[in-house]
Amino acid sequence: MTCWYEGPLAAFDTETTGVDVESDRIVSAALVVQDVAGARPRVSRWLVNPGVPVPPGATEIHGLTDGHLQRNGRWPAPVMEEMGRALAEQAAAGRPLVVMNAPFDLTLLDRELKRHRASSLVQYLENRPLCVLDPRVLDKHLDRYRKGRRTLTDLCAHYEVELADAHDAAADAQAALDVVRAVGRRFATRLERLSPAELHTLQAVWHAAQARGLQAWFARSGTPETVDPAWPLRPELPAAA
């Protein structure tokens, strides 16, 4: 029987106006679907005119300027509809979805669906929840004592995965997918008996533990930052009174 990390996988990635999932916007996204390891992937790309200025710092990262997005990007509402349906199709097919730092990309998409479609990611999934594989969570749990950063670029270097065009959504999605396959192979004795659904459940526990550890480190260092333990989707903030 083919192990899950050699079989069908999809991957999703976004580029954004910033790092606040509650207020920032998606400017580009991609979904990569690969039926088996080594097969040619099917790639869907979206370019969005977010309707708000793109900060220079964000443009420096992904290269997408206000002018380019205004000329070539589409209005957000139909794009978010397509993204929501595309992820729902992956859930319906039972295809695991790779998302690097899933609480960021999936929560941002959820908030965009609320903003532009008066809906939510859960509503689009229609009781067919995503089975998410997060290379950051997997790597941090399986190789927890390794020192150094764990960005996608770092993971690609560590697992010898090519990342040809960092911060292009399609390139990042493909690289994250390849990293998950590499993690599966390297830690096969620990992962091959687990199904993607079982791994999804375990990752929620692992991410919460990782968040608690990081929060404790912030407390010791006097950093006021708060770490959200929710995975793969952050709960909606309560409405202001």
Side-chain angles (χ1 to χ4, degrees):
M1 180 181 292
T2 302
C3 294
W4 60 263
Y5 48 80
E6 303 292 358
L9 292 176
F12 179 69
D13 186 76
T14 67
E15 297 300 327
T16 68
T17 60
V19 297
D20 187 333
V21 297
E22 302 297 339
S23 61
D24 278 305
R25 310 298 176 91
I26 294 172
V27 295
S28 71
L31 177 69
V32 173
V33 180
Q34 190 177 44
D35 292 327
V36 66
R40 185 172 182 174
R42 302 186 297 279
V43 182
S44 300
R45 294 178 173 87
W46 295 275
L47 191 67
V48 187
N49 179 354
V52 299
V54 181
T59 296
E60 287 179 13
I61 293 172
H62 49 58
L64 298 172
T65 64
D66 280 330
H68 179 76
L69 294 171
Q70 289 168 8
R71 289 190 302 272
N72 302 289
R74 298 165 56 202
W75 288 113
V79 179
M80 301 311 152
E81 169 83 10
E82 291 174 15
M83 287 187 204
R85 291 189 179 279
L87 295 198
E89 287 175 6
Q90 304 312 308
R95 189 177 292 115
L97 183 70
V98 174
V99 190
M100 174 73 184
N101 191 18
F104 177 79
D105 293 82
L106 295 183
T107 304
L108 192 55
L109 175 57
D110 177 75
R111 303 312 191 250
E112 288 277 53
L113 288 169
K114 286 181 167 65
R115 182 177 294 119
H116 297 291
R117 305 301 303 179
S119 187
S120 69
L121 184 54
V122 170
Q123 286 175 282
Y124 273 80
L125 296 175
E126 295 181 341
N127 298 316
R128 294 171 295 198
L130 289 167
C131 178
V132 178
L133 298 171
D134 189 331
R136 185 172 182 272
V137 175
L138 291 170
D139 172 73
K140 196 169 184 179
H141 177 79
L142 295 164
D143 198 0
R144 68 182 68 184
Y145 299 114
R146 188 178 81 249
K147 295 183 179 180
R149 289 157 49 87
R150 299 184 195 242
T151 66
L152 180 59
T153 300
D154 298 316
L155 295 185
C156 286
H158 181 71
Y159 289 100
E160 300 180 345
V161 167
E162 181 181 0
L163 178 54
D165 190 10
H167 300 296
D168 169 82
D172 285 358
Q174 181 67 61
L177 188 153
D178 291 340
V179 166
V180 164
R181 294 200 190 278
V183 169
R185 293 168 188 144
R186 184 168 299 187
F187 296 98
T189 56
R190 298 169 65 181
L191 295 177
E192 61 186 358
R193 295 180 182 276
L194 294 169
S195 69
E198 290 170 326
L199 269 177
H200 178 101
T201 301
L202 287 169
Q203 285 170 101
V205 177
W206 297 344
H207 178 270
Q210 292 163 8
R212 288 194 298 270
L214 183 57
Q215 189 72 72
W217 186 86
F218 281 152
R220 290 193 299 270
S221 62
T223 302
E225 189 170 346
T226 300
V227 184
D228 195 323
W231 182 97
L233 184 67
R234 297 177 188 170
E236 188 173 8
L237 293 177

